[in-house]
Amino acid sequence: QSGEIFGILRQMKETFESNLSASQKEEMANQKAYEDLKAAKESEIAAGQAQIEAKTGELADTDEKNAQSKVDVEDTKASLSADEQFLMMLKEKCQMTDKEWEERQKTRQLEMEAVSKALAVLAGDDAHDLFTKTFNPAFVQTRSAEESQRRAQAS
């Protein structure tokens, strides 16, 4: 009977040793898989952190550009408003200048017409005859120089 017991115990020992060896191989394979998975996850975490830092930097740059753009928009609006006011004033001034020009042109035209009529009247034969009839040599001033000298001596 003790031989049978030893046989059973040997068989149990061999089974345990083979189970132990299989379990150790499986454990080593699981350990290697765990190490590989851990390394992959750590590299993903590092890549995620790097991406977070990059996106944070981009966000800061974008916020700065946005703020600068808002300032630029305000400056542009103020400049546009000033330019529009200047344009309105310039248009009013131009309208006034155009009106004044038209008035001067009309006045000049009327003056030219009046001068033309006056020249026509003065250059006409009737005016020439009238001038020759009314011209009297006795009315010509001859002594103004002498009287001016007397006045200068008297004073």
Side-chain angles (χ1 to χ4, degrees), residues 28-44:
M28 285 175 61
N30 287 342
Q31 181 70 25
K32 174 144 176 46
Y34 171 77
E35 292 294 329
D36 291 344
L37 180 63
K38 181 180 176 185
K41 292 299 179 184
E42 285 177 351
S43 68
E44 286 179 18

Side-chain angles (χ1 to χ4, degrees), residues 10 31 53 60 80 87-88 113-114 125 155:
R10 262 191 230 139
Q31 181 70 25
E53 290 174 7
L80 176 65
L87 179 63
M88 286 177 30
E113 288 175 12
D125 291 335
S155 38

Side-chain angles (χ1 to χ4, degrees), residues 22 40 110 112 129 136 143:
L110 291 173
M112 287 172 54
D129 292 341
N136 188 350
R143 295 190 173 191

Side-chain angles (χ1 to χ4, degrees), residues 27 77 89 94 101:
E27 180 64 25
K77 284 181 180 179
M89 289 173 36
C94 286
W101 175 254

Side-chain angles (χ1 to χ4, degrees), residues 32-80:
K32 174 144 176 46
Y34 171 77
E35 292 294 329
D36 291 344
L37 180 63
K38 181 180 176 185
K41 292 299 179 184
E42 285 177 351
S43 68
E44 286 179 18
I45 289 172
Q49 289 293 343
Q51 191 174 16
I52 287 172
E53 290 174 7
K55 294 292 181 180
T56 303
E58 287 178 20
L59 179 63
D61 290 343
T62 303
D63 288 344
E64 183 180 341
K65 287 179 182 177
N66 188 23
Q68 184 63 38
S69 295
K70 286 181 181 179
V71 169
D72 289 346
V73 164
E74 291 299 320
D75 291 346
T76 303
K77 284 181 180 179
S79 176
L80 176 65

